[in-house]
Amino acid sequence: GIQVEQSPPDLILQEGANSTLRCNFSDSVNNLQWFHQNPWGQLINLFYIPSGTKQNGRLSATTVATERYSLLYISSSQTTDSGVYFCAPNTGGFKTIFGAGTRLFVKA
Amino acid sequence: DTAVSQTPKYLVTQMGNDKSIKCEQNLGHDTMYWYKQDSKKFLKIMFSYNNKELIINETVPNRFSPKSPDKAHLNLHINSLELGDSAVYFCASSLLGGSQETQYFGPGTRLLVL
């Protein structure tokens, strides 16, 4: 099955800093989602991005499917951005595979 | 209105007991899922249902039995609970299922087996 690798595993930012989270995957994908799990455990879908670039406020994501990676950009980070960010590709069918996540802590 | 809801939010029980977790979505979606998140935050799919039919059973022990009475509900029954079943269980749904859809997650059920 597809292997998903997220980096870095842990990240500490000062409020206001920018950062890039990376997701590498081992197989071609039909779909890729980015999720944020907040400190209370809620999983929120950030992007559905099988290819190309999307932006939503301070967040943007880029997937280069041919090179098997996706990037999540966080600009002007805020303490509310803290939590775990998951990359979740789907190679077809009803099975979505989650990466191990990047644990982000934003300091005030 | 909550899009995907789960009950209970917390469940503490003894080894060997049987318990159920309920999930409901009011999004009109056709596909529902159960995921398990362990203590290290690894998320793994357990089951996928599309139009009440089981599509994926991801090598889950048969002590776990999902039931979908209609498209809006997917319940999870667990028999003979074991310590290793302690985890957070998430229900999710998507419009049509397959690889083309965004998934929406419930708040999770935190299960602790003593």
Side-chain angles (χ1 to χ4, degrees):
Chain A
I2 188 172
Q3 304 298 312
V4 184
E5 198 175 296
Q6 291 189 240
S7 60
D10 298 281
L11 183 60
I12 300 175
L13 294 177
Q14 189 66 46
E15 197 171 27
N18 304 328
S19 185
T20 301
L21 281 55
R22 187 176 181 102
C23 172
N24 292 332
F25 40 93
S26 62
D27 206 349
S28 56
V29 300
N30 288 2
N31 171 9
L32 188 138
Q33 300 175 79
W34 280 97
F35 291 89
H36 174 224
Q37 186 168 35
N38 65 26
W40 296 270
Q42 180 67 44
L43 277 157
I44 307 294
N45 188 290
L46 298 174
F47 293 101
Y48 165 89
I49 184 162
S51 63
T53 298
K54 289 187 178 179
Q55 179 142 14
N56 184 1
R58 296 180 297 103
L59 302 181
S60 64
T62 295
T63 297
V64 184
T66 52
E67 297 186 23
R68 299 185 182 171
Y69 72 89
S70 184
L71 303 173
L72 179 69
Y73 304 93
I74 304 174
S75 64
S76 303
S77 58
Q78 300 178 357
T79 55
T80 52
D81 295 331
S82 296
V84 184
Y85 289 81
F86 292 102
C87 162
N90 181 308
T91 57
F94 292 80
K95 183 174 172 181
T96 295
I97 303 298
F98 278 73
T102 291
R103 289 153 184 73
L104 172 64
F105 179 67
V106 181
K107 299 189 296 184
Chain B
D1 277 345
T2 303
V4 183
S5 59
Q6 295 179 228
T7 53
K9 287 188 178 178
Y10 300 95
L11 191 49
V12 181
T13 188
Q14 298 287 330
M15 257 191 337
N17 285 350
D18 303 338
K19 290 293 178 186
S20 292
I21 306 172
K22 295 186 176 182
C23 177
E24 177 181 1
Q25 54 93 4
N26 63 7
L27 297 167
H29 288 171
D30 286 336
T31 303
M32 297 184 72
Y33 312 82
W34 278 109
Y35 288 86
K36 178 180 179 181
Q37 186 173 43
D38 64 20
S39 58
K40 295 184 178 178
K41 300 285 192 183
F42 290 118
L43 264 163
K44 188 171 181 188
I45 191 163
M46 301 172 69
F47 300 103
S48 294
Y49 266 73
N50 179 254
N51 282 316
K52 303 192 298 174
E53 298 294 324
L54 178 65
I55 303 296
I56 288 179
N57 177 340
E58 197 55 24
T59 61
V60 177
N62 57 15
R63 296 183 296 103
F64 291 79
S65 52
K67 283 190 171 50
S68 182
D70 55 58
K71 287 199 305 184
H73 296 85
L74 180 61
N75 304 323
L76 184 64
H77 188 76
I78 315 171
N79 289 328
S80 304
L81 278 155
E82 300 178 357
L83 294 177
D85 297 331
S86 296
V88 182
Y89 292 85
F90 285 97
C91 176
S93 73
S94 63
L95 181 58
L96 295 175
S99 61
Q100 306 303 318
E101 302 295 332
T102 298
Q103 292 183 26
Y104 297 87
F105 279 74
T109 295
R110 285 145 187 81
L111 171 64
L112 178 60
V113 182
L114 302 173

